[in-house]
Amino acid sequence: MASPTVPDAVDTPWPGGTIQLDIDASDVTRATYKVTETIPVAPGTERLTLLFPQWLPGNHGPRGSLAELVDLRFTVDGKPVSWERDPIEVYAFHVDLPANARKVVARFIHTSPLQASEGRVTVTPEMLNLQWEKMSLYPAGHYVSQIRVRPSVTFPKGWTAATALDGETRAGDRYAWAETNYEELVDSPIFAGANYRRFDLGNKVSLDAVADSPELLDLAPENLAKLRALSDQALYLFGKPAFDHYEFLVALSSKIGGIGLEHLRSSENQLEPRAFVDWKGMDWDRNVLPHEFTHSWNGKYRRPAKLWTPDYRTPMQDNLLWVYEGQTQFWGQVLAVRSGVQEKDTVLGAIARAAAGLAGNPGRGWRSVEDTTFDPVFAARKPKPYASMARTEDYYWEGALVWLEADQLIREGTNGRKGLDDFAKAFFSYREGTAPTLRYGFDEVVATLNGIYPHDWASFLKDRIDLPGRGAPYAGIEKAGYQVVFKDVPNPYDKALVDKYGSLYLSHSLGMTVDKDGDVSGVVWDSPAFNAGIVTGAKIIAVDGTVYSADAMTKAITAAKSRKEPLQIVVRRGDRVMTVPVDYHDGMRWPWLVSTTPGRENGLDRLLAARRN
């Protein structure tokens, strides 16, 4: 519900002038950011309404971290002035001004989470991730692109900072940047750290990495070449970018909170600490890089019209996320293989895991892919008791599989002359003279597809996206010359996750996921585990008389194939311990993608092959 006392945004400049935003980010011990924001006001202003950002691009829902803003105080000419929070829109603050006030100074502290239970950790002793929207207010009533800001930040002594902002100057540990608008500021986060290294990837693209320790930044020349190939392959695919330069901001850390977030001229990426120095072993972890890079074209420059808003108060509408995220998921996998940032077998394993998981979700019977695009708004990305029945943000991977089917239809219909590559260049390439965000709707997606290959694309997409009750999303995989099969050993992607986390992905056998300590983290609706009464939060203590371990569970499931008696699983739930019989005899089942054209290149092989100009 909108408050009658908060003005709607209009496309006019903030009349007060340029806001000065100064942040002291030097206290990494307590993980606090001290903010001083000087907001000039037009003559005669009696009341100032300031907003804290709530609806943020790339988050797909209201994610503003207002609870972390503390010790908020306002002064005019050094004297305190009163303020009140809007009772309806609690992200809005009304400040009463004395006569002849020309500027308001806001001082407050952003308290970054110190542990994961409090939220995403953004500060460690070695690095920080500064996001401007978490530590700034902006005047209500104007497009954020019409509010001018001059930012500066003080970092810990000796640290280096990286951002896409222009006009950087430095005096000691204080960085300042050229005046910009608030929309561009929010779209230009900072990574800073004691251990820093910058890599040139060509095409005016750089990678700025901070790490838990300096040796983690030792990127071998042959692997740097693969990251440079990512830059090349993306430009071959999408054509002219909307950015004038681009920064991959990368944290190689187990301490800072995980993130993969897109921006027009940069991206925020957290990787496992050894993702660069153990290139082969960490192959599973690097897909975030091509995914977020793709978003510069798909999501930032080209954006669904209802996902563009004039400010961070107006709710965003997510219904075309199966293009925004689904096609980004698709191209993220493709570019990873084309560039060598990930091995082909790793990506095939990731596709197999996702496709089989979607096929096995009973929630498909009642909920469409389109409806899952609203999940980030009302579910807020929290864990669900029965995710397989509820469905989650399936527009990512099911969207990707729909786009794979579209690619294969185009290739089939044009005898291989065209594919979704042609759609990507026609749809996402920068058009001279357009704004930083060029909006689109469903009809433009369909029209562009028809320009590549005439087909009833509207019905094709609506059938797959809008209708519940559809079967396994395997059509694109099968048209591309592969099939999903189940083996008793994990595919390369799943094996890497087992080796890293020690969890067992038993969704296609017992119907549950169990972590290294035996805690059940997910249960598939109507699976053997579900029907036996095992639920999320239970702890597996033993299986068939042996104390739980991943190896003991695997051996027990395998042994049960040759007998009629059920598995005997000892479970603790709360203060109760019970032995639960689970009647399952089909052994371990891990999904794989297997070629149906062995010895011959097929559609998926051709799609994943590197491109050359």
Side-chain angles (χ1 to χ4, degrees):
M1 179 179 177
S3 171
T5 59
V6 179
D8 291 334
V10 294
D11 193 9
T12 58
W14 168 242
T18 301
I19 294 169
Q20 178 69 48
L21 178 61
D22 188 69
I23 298 171
D24 182 348
S26 61
D27 188 357
V28 296
T29 301
R30 284 163 285 275
T32 59
Y33 298 84
K34 297 179 176 66
V35 179
T36 302
E37 185 170 2
T38 304
I39 306 156
V41 297
T45 303
E46 296 179 350
R47 187 174 234 216
L48 173 65
T49 297
L50 296 170
L51 299 174
F52 187 83
Q54 181 180 11
W55 287 83
L56 301 171
N59 287 260
H60 311 319
R63 297 283 184 274
S65 56
L66 185 57
E68 294 163 9
L69 185 155
V70 301
D71 200 21
L72 176 62
R73 303 169 190 270
F74 296 97
T75 59
V76 173
D77 296 329
K79 297 177 182 179
V81 292
S82 62
W83 62 273
E84 63 180 2
R85 192 188 303 269
D86 192 276
I88 297 173
E89 295 192 46
V90 297
Y91 282 70
F93 300 88
H94 303 294
V95 186
D96 292 320
L97 304 182
N100 302 318
R102 298 307 304 270
K103 62 184 179 182
V104 178
V105 178
R107 289 184 174 86
F108 55 91
I109 300 171
H110 169 74
T111 53
S112 177
L114 298 167
Q115 52 192 341
S117 61
E118 298 168 342
R120 178 176 171 260
V121 173
T122 67
V123 181
T124 79
E126 294 81 25
M127 68 183 67
L128 62 81
N129 176 198
L130 187 154
Q131 297 171 310
W132 301 98
E133 70 273 11
K134 288 182 167 60
M135 48 203 75
S136 59
L137 303 169
Y138 68 96
H142 300 268
Y143 281 22
V144 289
S145 61
Q146 293 274 27
I147 299 169
R148 305 298 295 177
V149 185
R150 186 178 295 109
S152 58
V153 181
T154 300
F155 296 101
K157 187 175 180 58
W159 282 26
T160 303
T163 178
L165 290 172
D166 294 321
E168 179 181 297
T169 60
R170 185 173 180 181
D173 297 310
R174 184 179 185 271
Y175 285 67
W177 294 271
E179 181 180 312
T180 185
N181 66 67
Y182 191 65
E183 181 178 39
E184 187 170 289
L185 181 73
V186 167
D187 201 42
S188 306
I190 294 173
F191 273 22
N195 308 304
Y196 167 85
R197 190 170 174 187
R198 180 179 178 88
F199 302 91
D200 181 5
L201 304 188
N203 305 305
K204 297 183 179 179
V205 177
S206 299
L207 187 149
D208 298 272
V210 291
D212 288 341
S213 55
E215 71 276 5
L216 298 173
L217 296 166
D218 291 336
L219 179 61
E222 63 271 21
N223 297 325
L224 176 58
K226 295 169 185 174
L227 292 168
R228 287 176 173 156
L230 173 58
S231 170
D232 291 337
Q233 290 295 321
L235 268 72
Y236 294 157
L237 172 62
F238 296 117
K240 185 176 176 61
F243 58 77
D244 53 351
H245 62 90
Y246 188 92
E247 314 292 325
F248 283 99
L249 304 177
V250 176
L252 299 164
S253 176
S254 60
K255 301 175 184 178
I256 206 163
I259 192 170
L261 188 60
E262 64 268 22
H263 303 283
L264 182 65
R265 301 198 301 171
S266 64
S267 57
E268 297 168 273
N269 311 276
Q270 179 269 334
L271 297 175
E272 290 294 315
R274 296 182 57 78
F276 283 179
V277 296
D278 182 9
W279 189 266
K280 183 175 177 59
M282 292 290 106
D283 191 63
W284 61 274
D285 188 43
R286 288 188 296 272
N287 192 261
V288 67
L289 300 177
H291 181 103
E292 301 305 342
F293 195 32
T294 295
H295 268 317
S296 183
W297 288 267
N298 179 15
K300 299 308 295 185
Y301 172 55
R302 297 306 318 269
R303 193 180 310 169
K306 294 178 181 179
L307 267 169
W308 177 90
T309 56
D311 61 7
Y312 306 125
R313 170 192 177 223
T314 306
M316 299 173 182
Q317 298 179 50
D318 290 350
N319 60 302
L320 283 176
L321 280 179
W322 52 271
V323 183
Y324 181 130
E325 292 290 5
Q327 199 164 137
T328 296
Q329 189 78 1
F330 172 84
W331 289 121
Q333 307 300 317
V334 171
L335 287 173
V337 181
R338 288 183 182 179
S339 64
V341 166
Q342 287 185 289
E343 294 291 330
K344 180 180 177 180
D345 284 347
T346 301
V347 168
L348 292 180
I351 296 171
R353 178 188 177 101
L358 289 164
N361 280 355
R364 305 177 64 81
W366 73 275
R367 194 174 182 197
S368 68
V369 176
E370 168 84 357
D371 192 61
T372 70
T373 66
F374 303 108
D375 218 68
V377 179
F378 66 80
R381 293 179 164 168
K382 72 177 184 67
K384 297 181 178 182
Y386 296 105
S388 63
M389 177 55 86
R391 300 198 78 171
T392 55
E393 296 179 40
D394 290 352
Y395 55 84
Y396 276 90
W397 267 111
E398 188 141 358
L401 295 174
V402 169
W403 289 114
L404 174 59
E405 185 181 1
D407 173 77
Q408 295 302 305
L409 276 173
I410 295 169
R411 292 176 189 279
E412 181 182 272
T414 62
N415 293 317
R417 294 189 305 274
K418 295 183 179 180
L420 204 63
D421 289 63
D422 299 277
F423 171 87
K425 184 159 288 188
F427 197 78
F428 296 118
S429 204
Y430 178 71
R431 303 173 193 180
E432 294 295 340
T434 56
T437 299
L438 183 60
R439 291 162 249 167
Y440 65 85
F442 179 81
D443 289 346
E444 187 184 348
V445 175
V446 170
T448 306
L449 284 166
N450 275 314
I452 305 302
Y453 170 61
H455 185 70
D456 187 1
W457 290 109
S459 295
F460 171 89
L461 293 170
K462 288 179 179 178
D463 286 350
R464 288 153 182 77
I465 301 299
D466 294 352
L467 298 181
R470 293 188 59 83
Y474 290 166
I477 292 171
E478 292 167 355
K479 282 181 178 295
Y482 278 78
Q483 63 181 339
V484 177
V485 301
F486 291 91
K487 300 184 181 182
D488 59 5
V489 293
N491 65 58
Y493 180 76
D494 278 325
K495 186 177 187 307
L497 295 182
V498 171
D499 291 345
K500 169 63 180 175
Y501 297 109
S503 298
L504 271 182
Y505 179 61
L506 304 174
S507 295
H508 306 290
S509 53
L510 296 186
M512 62 181 178
T513 304
V514 187
D515 74 12
K516 62 182 177 61
D517 298 318
D519 294 319
V520 178
S521 56
V523 176
V524 177
W525 191 274
D526 202 27
S527 65
F530 175 93
N531 292 329
I534 298 175
V535 298
T536 302
K539 188 179 187 68
I540 308 299
I541 297 174
V543 54
D544 282 355
T546 301
V547 172
Y548 176 81
S549 67
D551 186 58
M553 178 66 85
T554 299
K555 288 179 178 178
I557 292 171
T558 302
K561 291 175 66 176
S562 59
R563 70 178 197 227
K564 295 181 179 180
E565 295 79 20
L567 290 158
Q568 300 296 318
I569 299 179
V570 181
V571 176
R572 186 177 76 202
R573 184 179 178 189
D575 59 1
R576 297 182 61 206
V577 176
M578 62 200 86
T579 299
V580 178
V582 181
D583 196 17
Y584 174 78
H585 304 281
D586 289 334
M588 295 293 292
R589 298 180 79 243
W590 297 89
W592 288 68
L593 281 198
V594 174
S595 175
T596 55
T597 63
R600 292 189 294 114
E601 186 182 59
N602 56 36
L604 187 53
D605 297 332
R606 287 188 287 273
L607 174 66
L608 297 176
R611 299 302 191 254
R612 296 288 182 266
N613 272 349

